[in-house]
Amino acid sequence: MAVQPIFSDTLIPGELKSIAQKVLDGERISTEDAVMLYKHAEIDLLGYLANYIKTKKYGNKIYFNRNFHIEPTNVCVFSCAFCAYSKLYKNREDGWELTEDQMMNIVKSYDGKKVTEVHIVGGVHPKLNIEFFANLMRKMKAHRPDLHIKGYTAVELDYMFRKAKMTNKEGLEYLREAGLESLPGGGAEIFDEAVRKEICDDKVDSQGWLDIHKAAHEIGMHSNATMLYGHIEKYEHRVDHMNRLRTLQDETGGFNTFIPLKFRNQDNDMSHINESSVVDDIKTYAIGRIFMDNFPHVKAYWPMLGREKAQLMVNYGVDDLDGTIDDSTKIYSMAGSEEQSPSLTTEELTNLIHATGNIAVERDTLYNELEVFELVP
Ligand code: V47
Ligand code: SF4
């Protein structure tokens, strides 16, 4: 049954009203519509629409998982202008390269703990090859078969596969045999070629990123997709980025989650650029939910956004806050996030969700529901 128009002309100009009606009728909005929403819609309207979609899908559930990160190294052959993480940036001293034993000790430190996912992500070290990471994952799986390995951005994979002279499919199948189960969404940044040239010229290009995710989906692996926003890009570039992802998702259906990543400006070559306002953050999450109609989930990654803004985004279409993290990532603290030691116990994370008036639901990486934490009146 079609939803009746609820917006009066006096409150909302005609063009916005017809976009809003499309959303309420479950129709896809165009790229022009999305730019129009960015430029002219109030956040109240965006919140209403994004939450309408979110609530229709998931009611008042907000998902989280119990996870930790392993960051094998911050040595990186690339030189993204926004990166505060790479050791090679201005020859900073505080670099690390973890050995296989050190990484296995991290995994072992979770023995007996209820974590379901390890997220492996790091710099692109010239000496660490596909064989190294395959051996590492074999050992992890032998030690803890139930731990889902979500690992390696398309940037890391592209470099590994080229060095190993493997096609994307061959490389992914090889890593899957070793234990890799899904791909994180990093490295997408902004697909527009001119913007990409300015901010991360030397790593995998936009088509290369999309090709790796497509190859993963074709062999049955799921993945996520990020968008780094709030730097030199324009609204049109964000919409183009989302459109390239939406188009691939129409073809493969392999993406789980869209994750807008707010650019943080500390200690990198783009520090002169102001960070986005909270209004812009809200618009980006809400329009992400509205435009990406074939993406099941929209995630506010709290270590980057900060826990209070992540709570706010739950009212703007977000249904997932990622995980407990356990102080195991440095990417955002080094770039200036207010979360300097990101770690939440399950109780803290469920309390944070309950405080927004929603039910907290623990999920695994593929969004199977594991436990429901009801609101206590
Ligand atoms: O690709 C780097 C971003 C990403 C900065 O798939 C920055 O579940 C903001 O993709 N300001 C890597 N962002 C992390 C990532 C991720 C994180 C959490 C969950 C998932 C998932 C994926 O971090 C990079 C880049 O876009 N990044 N520097 C910065 N200064
Ligand atoms: Fe390397 Fe990733 Fe930093 Fe780019 S964002 S320099 S690929 S660690």
Side-chain angles (χ1 to χ4, degrees):
M1 191 180 69
V3 177
Q4 291 306 307
I6 56 157
F7 303 111
S8 79
D9 283 330
T10 48
L11 289 175
I12 303 174
E15 243 177 300
L16 281 181
K17 208 175 91 175
S18 77
I19 300 172
Q21 195 58 49
K22 274 192 206 174
V23 176
L24 297 178
D25 291 344
E27 269 177 52
R28 173 165 279 192
I29 68 163
S30 66
T31 51
E32 292 76 20
D33 293 340
V35 172
M36 174 92 182
L37 289 180
Y38 257 122
K39 290 188 175 164
H40 301 292
E42 303 273 340
I43 57 172
D44 308 31
L45 174 65
L46 294 175
Y48 180 86
L49 296 175
N51 247 13
Y52 173 79
I53 300 168
K54 183 253 151 190
T55 309
K56 219 160 89 175
K57 280 176 184 278
Y58 307 113
N60 65 340
K61 290 177 185 170
I62 297 294
Y63 293 102
F64 73 96
N65 71 346
R66 299 192 213 214
N67 66 348
F68 63 98
H69 287 220
I70 291 185
E71 299 182 353
T73 180
N74 68 339
V75 172
C76 187
V77 296
F78 298 120
S79 48
C80 305
F82 54 80
C83 185
Y85 178 74
S86 166
K87 174 178 160 54
L88 301 185
Y89 178 69
K90 293 190 177 150
N91 297 320
R92 76 159 61 82
E93 295 298 316
D94 48 355
W96 68 88
E97 295 174 39
L98 301 182
T99 62
E100 185 185 274
D101 281 350
Q102 285 172 318
M103 290 190 262
M104 281 309 297
N105 285 339
I106 297 176
V107 173
K108 287 175 189 163
S109 72
Y110 289 92
D111 285 357
K113 293 190 187 160
K114 270 175 91 181
V115 286
T116 59
E117 173 190 280
V118 55
H119 178 167
I120 306 175
V121 64
V124 179
H125 193 297
K127 294 209 181 101
L128 300 181
N129 58 20
I130 195 165
E131 202 49 52
F132 175 84
F133 288 115
N135 283 334
L136 172 70
M137 289 192 290
R138 283 186 201 109
K139 291 211 167 133
M140 285 180 177
K141 277 288 176 189
H143 182 76
R144 186 141 182 196
D146 61 313
L147 197 61
H148 181 111
I149 304 180
K150 177 177 82 178
Y152 316 109
T153 63
V155 177
E156 294 164 274
L157 294 173
D158 176 67
Y159 188 81
M160 265 186 236
F161 299 164
R162 277 173 201 276
K163 262 182 93 172
K165 298 198 180 355
M166 285 175 164
T167 64
N168 291 338
K169 184 166 185 277
E170 287 164 351
L172 285 162
E173 280 175 342
Y174 180 74
L175 291 176
R176 184 175 58 177
E177 296 261 298
L180 183 66
E181 283 159 290
S182 61
L183 306 187
E189 322 312 357
I190 282 283
F191 291 143
D192 176 83
E193 280 70 16
V195 175
R196 202 169 181 87
K197 194 168 172 18
E198 293 295 313
I199 66 170
C200 55
D201 193 23
D202 51 357
K203 69 185 183 188
V204 67
D205 65 15
S206 305
Q207 196 52 51
W209 190 98
L210 290 163
D211 287 346
I212 286 182
H213 283 257
K214 183 175 179 191
H217 300 169
E218 282 170 352
I219 64 163
M221 240 185 216
H222 283 272
S223 71
N224 293 335
T226 56
M227 173 173 78
L228 181 70
Y229 72 92
H231 41 90
I232 59 166
E233 90 293 355
K234 300 207 174 341
Y235 292 146
E236 284 80 356
H237 299 130
R238 295 186 201 175
V239 173
D240 166 68
H241 185 93
M242 292 192 287
N243 194 39
R244 294 195 210 191
L245 292 171
R246 189 171 80 170
T247 304
L248 178 55
Q249 179 74 334
D250 277 341
E251 223 182 293
T252 65
F255 286 115
N256 281 336
T257 314
F258 177 55
I259 314 166
L261 293 174
K262 175 190 176 79
F263 164 66
R264 309 304 307 235
N265 70 0
Q266 193 176 295
D267 214 6
N268 57 45
D269 281 344
M270 289 162 63
S271 293
H272 57 285
I273 297 171
N274 289 334
E275 291 184 356
S276 54
S277 68
V278 69
V279 172
D280 195 17
D281 298 333
I282 286 173
K283 283 184 179 181
T284 303
Y285 280 85
I287 294 171
R289 169 62 81 186
I290 295 165
F291 185 81
M292 307 289 263
D293 59 351
N294 53 6
F295 270 64
H297 301 282
V298 178
K299 183 192 287 190
Y301 183 56
W302 69 266
M304 176 271 285
L305 205 52
R307 54 193 88 179
E308 282 163 8
K309 268 193 216 142
Q311 273 179 317
L312 181 64
M313 295 314 160
V314 160
N315 294 301
Y316 292 91
V318 160
D319 67 283
D320 184 25
L321 293 191
D322 202 86
T324 42
I325 313 282
D326 209 18
D327 199 8
S328 52
T329 177
K330 293 195 173 65
I331 298 179
Y332 295 104
S333 50
M334 289 172 78
S337 167
E338 44 278 66
E339 300 291 347
Q340 285 300 301
S341 301
S343 185
L344 286 173
T345 62
T346 303
E347 197 188 353
E348 285 166 340
L349 191 44
T350 56
N351 284 345
L352 195 136
I353 293 170
H354 287 161
T356 67
N358 288 278
I359 298 170
V361 179
E362 183 188 352
R363 61 161 178 91
D364 64 14
T365 310
L366 302 177
Y367 291 85
N368 297 302
E369 294 188 5
L370 303 179
E371 193 172 347
V372 176
F373 295 79
E374 294 287 354
L375 272 166
V376 186

